Amino acid sequence: MSAPFPALRGETMRIFRAAPNVLVFFDGRVAGQPHAEVPTWLDYAYGLGTSSFAIVDGSDALVYDTHMSIAHATMVRRHLEGIGVTRMRVVMSHWHTDHVAGNAGFADCQIIAHALTARALEDNRASLEGGDPPIFPIVMPTRLYEDRLALTVGAIAVELRHVDCHSHDGTVLFMPETGLLLAGDTLEDTVTYVAEPERLAEHLGGLRLMASWPISTILLNHGDPQVMAEGGYPPSLIAATARYIERLRRCRNEPSLAALSLSAFVAEDLAAGTLHYCDAYEPVHRQNVALVTSTTA
Ligand SMILES: [Zn+2]
């Protein structure tokens, strides 16, 4: 097993407020991080920067994703307990490693997920529990929903909404009173991580669905911490993500486009400030191009 950097203690975690009732627990994008020769999922998670969130009102909290290790989950939990939270529930954004590895830290809480997330965890249990590093044991959700689920956190209304983008089982959190969206991995900055290259048409449909909602601001599980500390992303990130996916599909017939670096590939959106450059996304982009040009969807 390769040694993760920094050690799995979350000592580089940054905790900040993105909105009056929304806390961000960000770790990664650490200066001086060595590039692993064969990166594990955890190296990717640190490189891209990974966040969990908590919607907090008084003593009630809704945690959105349990972070990339049990140590991180424990830090999230301790922080919430330290500010007086006595009731915690968890919502899972989707089934991927860097979002579920901390579930064991919340094993005594209600863990809410889409039914497709529970199924994907079961279907991928062996690879998750036997991975590098392993997520063992996988802690399963205890409450399932389909399509939408309305909750209140203290006095705050929160809606879980199923969005098929990045992963077929995506759950985003929408706060109808403020228009704030916690987007999970349906959107990322600098660009989306293509995990289901044969399903890009469905993912574009998921983006169209989100674009129809009255969103004011967006927070990302893999986003720029400075942008989030300043309140988050504008809804224009949704169209920028769709543009990126459409361009990826064009790479099948345009080798010169496929050969571009990420910074050149999304140069217009970088210049416009819609996207922000993070060099850890260069290998993600190369992998995206390779995956998309080898499928026909
Ligand atoms: Zn992720």
Side-chain angles (χ1 to χ4, degrees):
M1 190 184 299
S2 58
F5 172 87
L8 268 182
R9 300 190 194 96
E11 63 260 46
T12 51
M13 186 189 278
R14 285 177 261 175
I15 302 174
F16 54 88
R17 206 170 278 280
N21 295 90
V22 181
L23 289 172
V24 183
F25 301 86
F26 178 92
D27 199 4
R29 300 197 183 191
V30 179
Q33 178 176 357
H35 290 283
E37 225 166 276
V38 183
T40 67
W41 65 261
L42 192 60
D43 293 316
Y44 269 110
Y46 268 111
L48 305 184
T50 297
S51 295
S52 287
F53 302 90
I55 299 170
V56 183
D57 192 24
S59 60
D60 197 6
L62 190 67
V63 175
Y64 184 55
D65 279 348
T66 60
H67 229 297
M68 53 180 158
S69 75
I70 296 172
H72 286 83
T74 303
M75 286 190 70
V76 171
R77 194 169 175 148
R78 286 209 185 114
H79 183 84
L80 292 174
E81 287 164 354
I83 60 171
V85 169
T86 55
R87 181 195 192 208
M88 284 178 221
R89 289 167 289 172
V90 171
V91 173
M92 300 179 66
S93 70
H94 63 303
W95 70 273
H96 290 164
T97 49
D98 47 321
H99 303 261
V100 308
N103 277 19
F106 292 91
D108 57 334
C109 301
Q110 185 178 78
I111 300 178
I112 309 168
H114 195 278
L116 289 171
T117 300
R119 193 186 306 165
L121 287 170
E122 286 293 1
D123 290 348
N124 293 280
R125 180 185 287 274
S127 64
L128 292 166
E129 293 188 339
D132 178 14
I135 302 170
F136 187 87
I138 284 291
V139 172
M140 294 293 289
T142 57
R143 178 181 178 185
L144 304 183
Y145 85 101
E146 291 186 51
D147 190 32
R148 287 190 183 191
L149 177 66
L151 300 174
T152 54
V153 183
I156 301 169
V158 181
E159 292 175 13
L160 283 62
R161 298 183 175 187
H162 175 221
V163 174
D164 185 344
C165 191
H166 169 71
S167 182
H168 67 288
D169 65 321
T171 291
V172 300
L173 290 192
F174 184 62
M175 300 170 71
E177 290 148 348
T178 58
L180 184 78
L181 182 78
L182 302 188
D185 279 6
T186 62
L187 304 167
E188 296 184 40
D189 183 23
T190 311
V191 290
T192 187
Y193 187 117
V194 175
E196 298 175 352
E198 70 291 352
R199 301 190 66 258
L200 294 181
E202 287 84 350
H203 294 172
L204 287 168
L207 293 172
R208 281 194 297 275
L209 175 67
M210 286 194 289
S212 71
W213 300 342
I215 295 168
S216 61
T217 322
I218 303 172
L219 301 174
L220 312 176
N221 286 55
H222 305 295
D224 187 319
Q226 196 181 328
V227 175
M228 295 200 281
E230 290 166 3
Y233 291 83
S236 55
L237 181 62
I238 299 171
T241 303
R243 277 194 292 278
Y244 175 72
I245 292 176
E246 297 284 14
R247 250 167 117 77
L248 274 182
R249 294 168 108 187
R250 280 174 45 203
C251 288
R252 291 171 182 142
N253 303 312
E254 298 180 39
S256 60
L257 189 59
L260 292 178
S261 66
L262 174 61
S263 54
F265 198 84
V266 293
E268 293 88 349
D269 277 314
L270 291 173
T274 320
L275 301 176
H276 306 77
Y277 185 70
C278 170
D279 65 357
Y281 274 93
E282 287 285 355
V284 172
H285 175 62
R286 291 264 52 88
Q287 180 178 293
N288 287 349
V289 170
L291 285 170
V292 172
T293 52
S294 60
T295 59
T296 54

